[in-house]
PDB file of all heavy atoms in Angstrom:
ATOM      1  N   VAL A 301       6.041  -4.744 -12.154  1.00  0.00           N
ATOM      2  CA  VAL A 301       5.092  -3.634 -12.302  1.00  0.00           C
ATOM      3  C   VAL A 301       5.427  -2.819 -13.549  1.00  0.00           C
ATOM      4  O   VAL A 301       4.548  -2.483 -14.350  1.00  0.00           O
ATOM      5  CB  VAL A 301       5.103  -2.747 -11.047  1.00  0.00           C
ATOM      6  CG1 VAL A 301       4.323  -1.459 -11.277  1.00  0.00           C
ATOM      7  CG2 VAL A 301       4.520  -3.509  -9.850  1.00  0.00           C
ATOM      8  N   GLN A 302       6.701  -2.503 -13.730  1.00  0.00           N
ATOM      9  CA  GLN A 302       7.129  -1.713 -14.885  1.00  0.00           C
ATOM     10  C   GLN A 302       6.941  -2.486 -16.188  1.00  0.00           C
ATOM     11  O   GLN A 302       6.476  -1.936 -17.196  1.00  0.00           O
ATOM     12  CB  GLN A 302       8.595  -1.319 -14.724  1.00  0.00           C
ATOM     13  CG  GLN A 302       8.865  -0.374 -13.558  1.00  0.00           C
ATOM     14  CD  GLN A 302      10.350  -0.245 -13.245  1.00  0.00           C
ATOM     15  OE1 GLN A 302      11.182  -0.951 -13.821  1.00  0.00           O
ATOM     16  NE2 GLN A 302      10.677   0.647 -12.320  1.00  0.00           N
ATOM     17  N   LEU A 303       7.288  -3.762 -16.164  1.00  0.00           N
ATOM     18  CA  LEU A 303       7.200  -4.572 -17.375  1.00  0.00           C
ATOM     19  C   LEU A 303       5.748  -4.733 -17.812  1.00  0.00           C
ATOM     20  O   LEU A 303       5.425  -4.621 -19.004  1.00  0.00           O
ATOM     21  CB  LEU A 303       7.832  -5.941 -17.123  1.00  0.00           C
ATOM     22  CG  LEU A 303       8.341  -6.729 -18.334  1.00  0.00           C
ATOM     23  CD1 LEU A 303       9.275  -5.883 -19.187  1.00  0.00           C
ATOM     24  CD2 LEU A 303       9.051  -7.996 -17.862  1.00  0.00           C
ATOM     25  N   ALA A 304       4.854  -4.992 -16.841  1.00  0.00           N
ATOM     26  CA  ALA A 304       3.432  -5.120 -17.171  1.00  0.00           C
ATOM     27  C   ALA A 304       2.894  -3.830 -17.770  1.00  0.00           C
ATOM     28  O   ALA A 304       2.092  -3.846 -18.712  1.00  0.00           O
ATOM     29  CB  ALA A 304       2.640  -5.497 -15.922  1.00  0.00           C
ATOM     30  N   SER A 305       3.335  -2.695 -17.234  1.00  0.00           N
ATOM     31  CA  SER A 305       2.900  -1.402 -17.752  1.00  0.00           C
ATOM     32  C   SER A 305       3.349  -1.217 -19.200  1.00  0.00           C
ATOM     33  O   SER A 305       2.583  -0.752 -20.059  1.00  0.00           O
ATOM     34  CB  SER A 305       3.447  -0.281 -16.878  1.00  0.00           C
ATOM     35  OG  SER A 305       3.119   0.982 -17.412  1.00  0.00           O
ATOM     36  N   ARG A 306       4.578  -1.575 -19.496  1.00  0.00           N
ATOM     37  CA  ARG A 306       5.100  -1.427 -20.858  1.00  0.00           C
ATOM     38  C   ARG A 306       4.359  -2.351 -21.834  1.00  0.00           C
ATOM     39  O   ARG A 306       4.109  -1.978 -22.977  1.00  0.00           O
ATOM     40  CB  ARG A 306       6.599  -1.726 -20.883  1.00  0.00           C
ATOM     41  CG  ARG A 306       7.444  -0.737 -20.078  1.00  0.00           C
ATOM     42  CD  ARG A 306       8.907  -0.896 -20.411  1.00  0.00           C
ATOM     43  NE  ARG A 306       9.170  -0.471 -21.789  1.00  0.00           N
ATOM     44  CZ  ARG A 306      10.269  -0.778 -22.469  1.00  0.00           C
ATOM     45  NH1 ARG A 306      11.201  -1.542 -21.922  1.00  0.00           N
ATOM     46  NH2 ARG A 306      10.437  -0.364 -23.699  1.00  0.00           N
ATOM     47  N   ILE A 307       4.034  -3.548 -21.373  1.00  0.00           N
ATOM     48  CA  ILE A 307       3.294  -4.482 -22.236  1.00  0.00           C
ATOM     49  C   ILE A 307       1.884  -3.955 -22.490  1.00  0.00           C
ATOM     50  O   ILE A 307       1.389  -3.982 -23.630  1.00  0.00           O
ATOM     51  CB  ILE A 307       3.255  -5.889 -21.596  1.00  0.00           C
ATOM     52  CG1 ILE A 307       4.656  -6.510 -21.599  1.00  0.00           C
ATOM     53  CG2 ILE A 307       2.279  -6.802 -22.341  1.00  0.00           C
ATOM     54  CD1 ILE A 307       4.779  -7.794 -20.808  1.00  0.00           C
ATOM     55  N   ARG A 308       1.212  -3.456 -21.453  1.00  0.00           N
ATOM     56  CA  ARG A 308      -0.155  -2.925 -21.609  1.00  0.00           C
ATOM     57  C   ARG A 308      -0.184  -1.747 -22.571  1.00  0.00           C
ATOM     58  O   ARG A 308      -1.134  -1.580 -23.343  1.00  0.00           O
ATOM     59  CB  ARG A 308      -0.703  -2.468 -20.246  1.00  0.00           C
ATOM     60  CG  ARG A 308      -1.105  -3.582 -19.306  1.00  0.00           C
ATOM     61  CD  ARG A 308      -1.931  -3.044 -18.153  1.00  0.00           C
ATOM     62  NE  ARG A 308      -1.257  -2.012 -17.386  1.00  0.00           N
ATOM     63  CZ  ARG A 308      -0.516  -2.220 -16.308  1.00  0.00           C
ATOM     64  NH1 ARG A 308      -0.332  -3.458 -15.872  1.00  0.00           N
ATOM     65  NH2 ARG A 308       0.053  -1.219 -15.665  1.00  0.00           N
ATOM     66  N   ARG A 309       0.866  -0.939 -22.529  1.00  0.00           N
ATOM     67  CA  ARG A 309       0.920   0.248 -23.384  1.00  0.00           C
ATOM     68  C   ARG A 309       1.441  -0.067 -24.789  1.00  0.00           C
ATOM     69  O   ARG A 309       1.648   0.851 -25.587  1.00  0.00           O
ATOM     70  CB  ARG A 309       1.824   1.303 -22.727  1.00  0.00           C
ATOM     71  CG  ARG A 309       1.261   1.842 -21.422  1.00  0.00           C
ATOM     72  CD  ARG A 309       2.224   2.827 -20.776  1.00  0.00           C
ATOM     73  NE  ARG A 309       1.699   3.324 -19.505  1.00  0.00           N
ATOM     74  CZ  ARG A 309       2.336   4.165 -18.705  1.00  0.00           C
ATOM     75  NH1 ARG A 309       3.544   4.607 -19.056  1.00  0.00           N
ATOM     76  NH2 ARG A 309       1.787   4.555 -17.575  1.00  0.00           N
ATOM     77  N   ARG A 310       1.669  -1.321 -25.061  1.00  0.00           N
ATOM     78  CA  ARG A 310       2.163  -1.778 -26.365  1.00  0.00           C
ATOM     79  C   ARG A 310       3.544  -1.216 -26.682  1.00  0.00           C
ATOM     80  O   ARG A 310       3.942  -1.054 -27.839  1.00  0.00           O
ATOM     81  CB  ARG A 310       1.210  -1.424 -27.504  1.00  0.00           C
ATOM     82  CG  ARG A 310      -0.090  -2.225 -27.569  1.00  0.00           C
ATOM     83  CD  ARG A 310      -1.102  -1.763 -26.589  1.00  0.00           C
ATOM     84  NE  ARG A 310      -2.439  -2.341 -26.857  1.00  0.00           N
ATOM     85  CZ  ARG A 310      -3.479  -2.158 -26.055  1.00  0.00           C
ATOM     86  NH1 ARG A 310      -3.350  -1.422 -24.945  1.00  0.00           N
ATOM     87  NH2 ARG A 310      -4.644  -2.701 -26.352  1.00  0.00           N
ATOM     88  N   GLN A 311       4.321  -0.901 -25.625  1.00  0.00           N
ATOM     89  CA  GLN A 311       5.670  -0.398 -25.819  1.00  0.00           C
ATOM     90  C   GLN A 311       6.669  -1.525 -26.076  1.00  0.00           C
ATOM     91  O   GLN A 311       7.766  -1.290 -26.588  1.00  0.00           O
ATOM     92  CB  GLN A 311       6.105   0.414 -24.588  1.00  0.00           C
ATOM     93  CG  GLN A 311       5.307   1.686 -24.387  1.00  0.00           C
ATOM     94  CD  GLN A 311       5.655   2.387 -23.101  1.00  0.00           C
ATOM     95  OE1 GLN A 311       6.254   1.806 -22.189  1.00  0.00           O
ATOM     96  NE2 GLN A 311       5.291   3.668 -22.993  1.00  0.00           N
ATOM     97  N   VAL A 312       6.288  -2.714 -25.687  1.00  0.00           N
ATOM     98  CA  VAL A 312       7.106  -3.895 -25.943  1.00  0.00           C
ATOM     99  C   VAL A 312       6.167  -5.079 -26.122  1.00  0.00           C
ATOM    100  O   VAL A 312       5.096  -5.131 -25.510  1.00  0.00           O
ATOM    101  CB  VAL A 312       8.097  -4.154 -24.778  1.00  0.00           C
ATOM    102  CG1 VAL A 312       7.365  -4.447 -23.471  1.00  0.00           C
ATOM    103  CG2 VAL A 312       9.050  -5.298 -25.114  1.00  0.00           C
ATOM    104  N   LYS A 313       6.545  -6.000 -26.977  1.00  0.00           N
ATOM    105  CA  LYS A 313       5.720  -7.187 -27.188  1.00  0.00           C
ATOM    106  C   LYS A 313       6.018  -8.227 -26.107  1.00  0.00           C
ATOM    107  O   LYS A 313       7.178  -8.437 -25.727  1.00  0.00           O
ATOM    108  CB  LYS A 313       5.977  -7.774 -28.575  1.00  0.00           C
ATOM    109  CG  LYS A 313       5.387  -6.931 -29.703  1.00  0.00           C
ATOM    110  CD  LYS A 313       5.490  -7.655 -31.019  1.00  0.00           C
ATOM    111  CE  LYS A 313       4.824  -6.842 -32.133  1.00  0.00           C
ATOM    112  NZ  LYS A 313       3.376  -6.670 -31.893  1.00  0.00           N
ATOM    113  N   CYS A 314       4.961  -8.861 -25.657  1.00  0.00           N
ATOM    114  CA  CYS A 314       5.103  -9.885 -24.619  1.00  0.00           C
ATOM    115  C   CYS A 314       6.021 -11.016 -25.073  1.00  0.00           C
ATOM    116  O   CYS A 314       6.841 -11.509 -24.288  1.00  0.00           O
ATOM    117  CB  CYS A 314       3.722 -10.427 -24.244  1.00  0.00           C
ATOM    118  SG  CYS A 314       3.756 -11.704 -22.973  1.00  0.00           S
ATOM    119  N   VAL A 350      -1.219 -13.077 -25.692  1.00  0.00           N
ATOM    120  CA  VAL A 350      -1.288 -11.746 -25.067  1.00  0.00           C
ATOM    121  C   VAL A 350      -1.123 -10.660 -26.116  1.00  0.00           C
ATOM    122  O   VAL A 350      -1.892  -9.682 -26.157  1.00  0.00           O
ATOM    123  CB  VAL A 350      -0.205 -11.608 -23.964  1.00  0.00           C
ATOM    124  CG1 VAL A 350      -0.109 -10.157 -23.489  1.00  0.00           C
ATOM    125  CG2 VAL A 350      -0.518 -12.526 -22.790  1.00  0.00           C
ATOM    126  N   ASP A 351      -0.139 -10.816 -26.986  1.00  0.00           N
ATOM    127  CA  ASP A 351       0.100  -9.811 -28.031  1.00  0.00           C
ATOM    128  C   ASP A 351      -1.091  -9.704 -28.981  1.00  0.00           C
ATOM    129  O   ASP A 351      -1.481  -8.589 -29.377  1.00  0.00           O
ATOM    130  CB  ASP A 351       1.367 -10.162 -28.810  1.00  0.00           C
ATOM    131  CG  ASP A 351       2.638  -9.934 -28.000  1.00  0.00           C
ATOM    132  OD1 ASP A 351       2.612  -9.088 -27.083  1.00  0.00           O
ATOM    133  OD2 ASP A 351       3.649 -10.613 -28.267  1.00  0.00           O
ATOM    134  N   TRP A 353      -4.214 -10.403 -28.286  1.00  0.00           N
ATOM    135  CA  TRP A 353      -5.320  -9.789 -27.539  1.00  0.00           C
ATOM    136  C   TRP A 353      -5.151  -8.276 -27.452  1.00  0.00           C
ATOM    137  O   TRP A 353      -6.094  -7.508 -27.662  1.00  0.00           O
ATOM    138  CB  TRP A 353      -5.386 -10.433 -26.148  1.00  0.00           C
ATOM    139  CG  TRP A 353      -6.534  -9.974 -25.301  1.00  0.00           C
ATOM    140  CD1 TRP A 353      -7.832  -9.817 -25.686  1.00  0.00           C
ATOM    141  CD2 TRP A 353      -6.483  -9.598 -23.928  1.00  0.00           C
ATOM    142  NE1 TRP A 353      -8.613  -9.380 -24.628  1.00  0.00           N
ATOM    143  CE2 TRP A 353      -7.799  -9.242 -23.533  1.00  0.00           C
ATOM    144  CE3 TRP A 353      -5.470  -9.547 -22.976  1.00  0.00           C
ATOM    145  CZ2 TRP A 353      -8.115  -8.831 -22.235  1.00  0.00           C
ATOM    146  CZ3 TRP A 353      -5.782  -9.149 -21.675  1.00  0.00           C
ATOM    147  CH2 TRP A 353      -7.085  -8.790 -21.327  1.00  0.00           C
ATOM    148  N   LEU A 354      -3.925  -7.851 -27.154  1.00  0.00           N
ATOM    149  CA  LEU A 354      -3.658  -6.411 -27.056  1.00  0.00           C
ATOM    150  C   LEU A 354      -3.803  -5.734 -28.419  1.00  0.00           C
ATOM    151  O   LEU A 354      -4.223  -4.573 -28.498  1.00  0.00           O
ATOM    152  CB  LEU A 354      -2.256  -6.178 -26.497  1.00  0.00           C
ATOM    153  CG  LEU A 354      -2.053  -6.525 -25.016  1.00  0.00           C
ATOM    154  CD1 LEU A 354      -0.581  -6.410 -24.633  1.00  0.00           C
ATOM    155  CD2 LEU A 354      -2.896  -5.615 -24.125  1.00  0.00           C
ATOM    156  N   ALA A 355      -3.450  -6.439 -29.472  1.00  0.00           N
ATOM    157  CA  ALA A 355      -3.565  -5.867 -30.818  1.00  0.00           C
ATOM    158  C   ALA A 355      -5.017  -5.586 -31.187  1.00  0.00           C
ATOM    159  O   ALA A 355      -5.312  -4.662 -31.965  1.00  0.00           O
ATOM    160  CB  ALA A 355      -2.940  -6.807 -31.845  1.00  0.00           C
ATOM    161  N   GLY A 357      -7.145  -4.449 -29.119  1.00  0.00           N
ATOM    162  CA  GLY A 357      -7.476  -3.198 -28.455  1.00  0.00           C
ATOM    163  C   GLY A 357      -8.841  -3.164 -27.809  1.00  0.00           C
ATOM    164  O   GLY A 357      -9.466  -2.108 -27.721  1.00  0.00           O
ATOM    165  N   GLU A 359      -9.623  -3.744 -24.620  1.00  0.00           N
ATOM    166  CA  GLU A 359      -9.613  -3.289 -23.224  1.00  0.00           C
ATOM    167  C   GLU A 359      -8.720  -2.061 -23.091  1.00  0.00           C
ATOM    168  O   GLU A 359      -7.645  -1.982 -23.681  1.00  0.00           O
ATOM    169  CB  GLU A 359      -9.095  -4.402 -22.311  1.00  0.00           C
ATOM    170  CG  GLU A 359      -9.928  -5.678 -22.338  1.00  0.00           C
ATOM    171  CD  GLU A 359     -11.210  -5.558 -21.547  1.00  0.00           C
ATOM    172  OE1 GLU A 359     -11.413  -4.533 -20.886  1.00  0.00           O
ATOM    173  OE2 GLU A 359     -12.028  -6.497 -21.613  1.00  0.00           O
ATOM    174  N   ASP A 360      -9.168  -1.092 -22.275  1.00  0.00           N
ATOM    175  CA  ASP A 360      -8.321   0.084 -22.043  1.00  0.00           C
ATOM    176  C   ASP A 360      -7.266  -0.247 -20.990  1.00  0.00           C
ATOM    177  O   ASP A 360      -7.374  -1.230 -20.244  1.00  0.00           O
ATOM    178  CB  ASP A 360      -9.163   1.282 -21.598  1.00  0.00           C
ATOM    179  CG  ASP A 360      -9.891   1.023 -20.288  1.00  0.00           C
ATOM    180  OD1 ASP A 360      -9.269   1.154 -19.225  1.00  0.00           O
ATOM    181  OD2 ASP A 360     -11.096   0.662 -20.339  1.00  0.00           O
ATOM    182  N   GLU A 361      -6.255   0.599 -20.899  1.00  0.00           N
ATOM    183  CA  GLU A 361      -5.108   0.319 -20.032  1.00  0.00           C
ATOM    184  C   GLU A 361      -5.504   0.221 -18.558  1.00  0.00           C
ATOM    185  O   GLU A 361      -5.022  -0.652 -17.825  1.00  0.00           O
ATOM    186  CB  GLU A 361      -4.041   1.402 -20.217  1.00  0.00           C
ATOM    187  CG  GLU A 361      -2.770   1.118 -19.438  1.00  0.00           C
ATOM    188  CD  GLU A 361      -1.746   2.223 -19.589  1.00  0.00           C
ATOM    189  OE1 GLU A 361      -1.830   2.992 -20.566  1.00  0.00           O
ATOM    190  OE2 GLU A 361      -0.869   2.304 -18.713  1.00  0.00           O
ATOM    191  N   LYS A 362      -6.398   1.100 -18.106  1.00  0.00           N
ATOM    192  CA  LYS A 362      -6.789   1.083 -16.696  1.00  0.00           C
ATOM    193  C   LYS A 362      -7.496  -0.213 -16.328  1.00  0.00           C
ATOM    194  O   LYS A 362      -7.240  -0.806 -15.273  1.00  0.00           O
ATOM    195  CB  LYS A 362      -7.699   2.284 -16.391  1.00  0.00           C
ATOM    196  CG  LYS A 362      -8.080   2.388 -14.928  1.00  0.00           C
ATOM    197  CD  LYS A 362      -8.923   3.629 -14.661  1.00  0.00           C
ATOM    198  CE  LYS A 362      -9.297   3.720 -13.183  1.00  0.00           C
ATOM    199  NZ  LYS A 362     -10.152   4.910 -12.891  1.00  0.00           N
ATOM    200  N   LEU A 364      -7.127  -3.090 -17.822  1.00  0.00           N
ATOM    201  CA  LEU A 364      -6.116  -4.142 -17.842  1.00  0.00           C
ATOM    202  C   LEU A 364      -5.298  -4.150 -16.558  1.00  0.00           C
ATOM    203  O   LEU A 364      -5.003  -5.212 -16.004  1.00  0.00           O
ATOM    204  CB  LEU A 364      -5.187  -3.961 -19.042  1.00  0.00           C
ATOM    205  CG  LEU A 364      -5.777  -4.234 -20.424  1.00  0.00           C
ATOM    206  CD1 LEU A 364      -4.787  -3.834 -21.509  1.00  0.00           C
ATOM    207  CD2 LEU A 364      -6.147  -5.706 -20.567  1.00  0.00           C
ATOM    208  N   GLU A 365      -4.943  -2.972 -16.072  1.00  0.00           N
ATOM    209  CA  GLU A 365      -4.162  -2.880 -14.840  1.00  0.00           C
ATOM    210  C   GLU A 365      -4.931  -3.447 -13.656  1.00  0.00           C
ATOM    211  O   GLU A 365      -4.358  -4.084 -12.763  1.00  0.00           O
ATOM    212  CB  GLU A 365      -3.765  -1.428 -14.571  1.00  0.00           C
ATOM    213  CG  GLU A 365      -2.861  -1.262 -13.364  1.00  0.00           C
ATOM    214  CD  GLU A 365      -2.414   0.173 -13.166  1.00  0.00           C
ATOM    215  OE1 GLU A 365      -2.903   1.064 -13.902  1.00  0.00           O
ATOM    216  OE2 GLU A 365      -1.582   0.407 -12.263  1.00  0.00           O
ATOM    217  N   VAL A 368      -5.758  -7.637 -14.868  1.00  0.00           N
ATOM    218  CA  VAL A 368      -4.587  -8.498 -15.108  1.00  0.00           C
ATOM    219  C   VAL A 368      -3.314  -7.679 -14.837  1.00  0.00           C
ATOM    220  O   VAL A 368      -2.580  -7.311 -15.753  1.00  0.00           O
ATOM    221  CB  VAL A 368      -4.578  -9.077 -16.545  1.00  0.00           C
ATOM    222  CG1 VAL A 368      -5.503 -10.274 -16.651  1.00  0.00           C
ATOM    223  CG2 VAL A 368      -4.967  -8.018 -17.587  1.00  0.00           C
ATOM    224  N   PRO A 369      -3.034  -7.386 -13.558  1.00  0.00           N
ATOM    225  CA  PRO A 369      -1.935  -6.480 -13.211  1.00  0.00           C
ATOM    226  C   PRO A 369      -0.556  -6.969 -13.619  1.00  0.00           C
ATOM    227  O   PRO A 369       0.375  -6.167 -13.740  1.00  0.00           O
ATOM    228  CB  PRO A 369      -2.047  -6.370 -11.688  1.00  0.00           C
ATOM    229  CG  PRO A 369      -2.792  -7.596 -11.262  1.00  0.00           C
ATOM    230  CD  PRO A 369      -3.748  -7.872 -12.371  1.00  0.00           C
ATOM    231  N   LEU A 371       0.056  -8.749 -16.519  1.00  0.00           N
ATOM    232  CA  LEU A 371      -0.127  -9.231 -17.883  1.00  0.00           C
ATOM    233  C   LEU A 371       1.215  -9.388 -18.605  1.00  0.00           C
ATOM    234  O   LEU A 371       1.967  -8.429 -18.776  1.00  0.00           O
ATOM    235  CB  LEU A 371      -1.018  -8.260 -18.675  1.00  0.00           C
ATOM    236  CG  LEU A 371      -1.342  -8.678 -20.119  1.00  0.00           C
ATOM    237  CD1 LEU A 371      -2.151  -9.972 -20.131  1.00  0.00           C
ATOM    238  CD2 LEU A 371      -2.086  -7.564 -20.848  1.00  0.00           C
ATOM    239  N   GLY A 372       1.504 -10.633 -19.012  1.00  0.00           N
ATOM    240  CA  GLY A 372       2.704 -10.914 -19.791  1.00  0.00           C
ATOM    241  C   GLY A 372       3.987 -11.028 -19.010  1.00  0.00           C
ATOM    242  O   GLY A 372       5.057 -11.228 -19.594  1.00  0.00           O
TER     243      GLY A 372
END
Side-chain angles (χ1 to χ4, degrees):
V301 170
Q302 294 168 354
L303 203 52
S305 176
R306 295 193 68 197
I307 291 171
R308 286 194 303 268
R309 294 177 181 178
R310 288 78 168 175
Q311 294 174 343
V312 63
K313 288 188 177 297
C314 180
V350 170
D351 288 334
W353 184 45
L354 290 173
E359 300 283 354
D360 62 81
E361 185 182 339
K362 184 177 180 181
L364 290 173
E365 184 177 6
V368 280
L371 182 63

